[in-house]
Amino acid sequence: LPPIPKPRPVTPDDEILPHTDISDKSKNIWIVTTASLPWMTGTAVNPLLRAAYLSTGRKAAGGSVTLMLPWVERTEDKKRIYGDEKLFETPEDQEEFVRSWLRDTANMKEASVDLNIRWYTAWQEVLENSLYSMGDIIGLIPQEKCDICVLEEPEHLNWYRAPGENWT
């Protein structure tokens, strides 16, 4: 087998391609993930914190950050994921929970206001303890409002399977 490549640290001479430069605050960045608070997994917390950090100062420069989260519709899925005490009736209710957590727990007050949050419909595959979309997630992102798109757990985001559909 060939050796595993080892990345080297970035150097000042490395060219950053302008269309990939996330430090350009005028860029519109979308981050799509497969988990949302109150499910306290790395796949929920890390993208939220990344999106919040990237949103800092971006609004003033004409850019934005949008975090696209799964809205779990089925009550039985919600109970398994979030427990009985956190059953949100609407995406707006869950969004308020996410923004409150950013503001009060993560102490990211500006981001709790400036971060855009959008939802896609999802369901839980119990055997894998994973969420899957119930449609084309990327089709929900307006091309004219997205310069850079980050897919968290793309192996989950690139598959569409209807609830209960068996893959054999």
Side-chain angles (χ1 to χ4, degrees):
L1 295 174
I4 296 174
K6 294 182 181 168
R8 65 170 176 74
V10 67
T11 67
D13 295 331
D14 287 338
E15 181 183 356
I16 297 174
L17 300 173
H19 65 279
T20 67
D21 186 2
I22 62 173
S23 70
D24 178 352
K25 301 263 186 206
S26 70
K27 295 265 192 271
N28 297 305
I29 300 173
W30 284 62
I31 298 174
V32 184
T33 189
T34 59
S36 176
L37 299 183
W39 200 8
M40 297 301 288
T41 67
T43 312
V45 175
N46 293 338
L48 173 59
L49 293 176
R50 182 176 302 109
Y53 173 79
L54 287 170
S55 72
T56 305
R58 198 165 290 271
K59 187 176 182 180
S64 66
V65 175
T66 302
L67 180 62
M68 191 170 232
L69 299 171
W71 168 248
V72 179
E73 280 192 330
R74 299 187 317 188
T75 303
E76 62 271 18
D77 290 346
K78 288 182 196 180
K79 285 182 179 182
R80 279 191 301 272
I81 298 166
Y82 307 129
D84 289 325
E85 67 281 352
K86 297 266 182 359
L87 296 178
F88 303 102
E89 291 294 320
T90 66
E92 293 78 19
D93 293 339
Q94 189 167 354
E95 181 174 330
E96 179 52 38
F97 180 90
V98 171
R99 290 186 187 283
S100 295
W101 187 90
L102 262 182
R103 181 183 61 247
D104 303 333
T105 303
N107 197 28
M108 300 183 85
K109 291 171 181 47
E110 182 181 339
S112 73
V113 174
D114 290 347
L115 179 63
N116 297 316
I117 297 177
R118 298 292 179 267
W119 300 90
Y120 66 89
T121 307
W123 66 283
Q124 183 191 36
E125 168 55 66
V126 178
L127 293 175
E128 298 168 0
N129 196 29
S130 297
L131 296 181
Y132 287 95
S133 74
M134 293 177 77
D136 178 8
I137 296 172
I138 301 305
L140 299 173
I141 300 174
Q143 288 183 2
E144 67 279 1
K145 294 184 180 180
C146 180
D147 299 309
I148 297 170
C149 183
V150 178
L151 302 177
E152 302 281 342
E153 289 196 324
E155 70 276 15
H156 292 247
L157 296 170
N158 290 314
W159 295 98
Y160 170 73
R161 176 169 35 159
E165 181 180 332
N166 190 6
W167 287 353
T168 54

